[in-house]
Amino acid sequence: MLLIAGLGNPGPKYSLNRHNIGFMALDALADTYTDSRWRKKYQGLISEGIVEGKKILLLKPHTFMNKSGNSISEVVKFYKMSPNQVIIFHDEIDLAPGKIRVKTGGGHAGHNGLRSITNHIGSDFVRIRIGVGHPGSKDQVHNYVLGNFSKSDQEGWLQDLLAGVRHGFPDLIDNNTTEFLNKINLTLQSKPKASMHRISSEKPPVTKQKKGEGIFSKLAKYFG
């Protein structure tokens, strides 16, 4: 069994924050790999499924970011899991928007969610670091990560990155991180993204969708 947790803060106020990209990744995975129904347990919301023959438990801690470890440790203790059975999706300000890296173990680098998890289960869990960019000054980090993604980001690279995460997820479960990252990169490269690195003020083309379709319209049913 594997625990797949996404970090974020609960409630509609935070739903589109950069800090909540972990929740967004979990919603994308639930749309494909579980029945998309979330239920309350372990101080969070969970959804279960089978991927590549392995049972997975998706968890969105509802303890707020700084106490993410409270929720995650409940699952780890109940199922007697080791840290290497835990995969965490989280925002990473030290990576450019749209960049993604996989890392096992290490420090928390000032990320309060990772700090809390480390304090509860140790540091040897898998981290899926999703770049959201840096505001340029340490003093601006708090407001930046608690700010919403721009509309062009939501409709551009972020939407494609979440689709890539969903597409490559079975490879991650099979411990093939190279192929997982390749599939995400291929998805991101399939269309030009002028907003990716903020090199242009032009808005990327938006594909019209039917009402109720798409990652961000689906978020509404979880966050109101």
Side-chain angles (χ1 to χ4, degrees):
M1 178 175 178
L2 294 174
L3 169 62
I4 317 297
L7 302 190
N9 291 308
K13 175 182 177 181
Y14 304 101
S15 63
L16 294 178
N17 284 183
R18 296 178 181 89
H19 225 16
N20 270 46
I21 200 168
F23 277 14
M24 297 175 195
L26 268 283
D27 286 328
L29 295 177
D31 283 342
T32 300
Y33 300 105
T34 75
D35 60 10
S36 298
R37 289 182 295 183
W38 296 92
R39 57 193 178 94
K40 293 181 180 180
K41 200 170 184 180
Y42 307 117
Q43 299 186 64
L45 296 179
I46 66 168
S47 190
E48 300 172 83
I50 304 290
V51 180
E52 297 298 293
K54 299 175 184 177
K55 182 177 180 180
I56 63 163
L57 190 153
L58 304 182
L59 171 68
K60 295 189 291 185
H62 271 210
T63 51
F64 286 91
M65 180 69 77
N66 293 2
K67 295 184 178 180
S68 298
N70 294 9
S71 174
I72 290 166
S73 63
E74 280 198 22
V75 179
V76 169
K77 289 175 183 176
F78 182 84
Y79 288 102
K80 297 180 173 60
M81 303 172 77
S82 61
N84 61 15
Q85 292 174 275
V86 179
I87 299 174
I88 306 294
F89 283 81
H90 67 90
D91 60 304
E92 177 58 72
I93 62 172
D94 290 329
L95 289 176
K99 296 295 183 181
I100 187 165
R101 298 287 185 270
V102 179
K103 179 182 179 182
T104 300
H108 54 72
H111 192 293
N112 288 330
L114 298 181
R115 188 199 309 271
S116 176
I117 297 167
T118 299
N119 288 342
H120 281 83
I121 69 169
S123 62
D124 294 330
F125 53 90
V126 179
R127 302 108 186 274
I128 312 299
R129 306 164 60 215
I130 305 177
V132 297
H134 197 288
S137 169
K138 185 177 180 180
D139 295 338
Q140 297 174 338
V141 167
H142 178 77
N143 288 336
Y144 178 75
V145 296
L146 291 179
N148 286 350
F149 284 106
S150 68
K151 185 177 180 181
S152 62
D153 284 344
Q154 293 175 36
E155 296 173 345
W157 68 265
L158 182 55
Q159 180 171 273
D160 291 342
L161 182 142
L162 294 175
V165 166
R166 185 172 56 230
H167 182 50
F169 186 60
D171 296 297
L172 179 65
I173 295 302
D174 270 348
N175 202 32
N176 188 347
T177 56
T178 298
E179 188 59 24
F180 169 67
L181 294 173
N182 282 342
K183 285 180 178 176
I184 294 171
N185 289 331
L186 285 172
T187 304
L188 288 168
Q189 293 167 9
S190 65
K191 292 183 289 184
K193 297 293 182 293
S195 63
M196 176 76 72
H197 299 295
R198 306 182 189 282
I199 58 174
S200 172
S201 60
E202 295 180 3
K203 293 184 178 180
V206 178
T207 301
K208 291 185 178 179
Q209 296 174 314
K210 295 179 181 179
K211 184 178 181 181
E213 293 184 346
I215 294 298
F216 290 94
S217 61
K218 288 175 180 177
L219 285 176
K221 66 183 178 183
Y222 302 119
F223 298 110

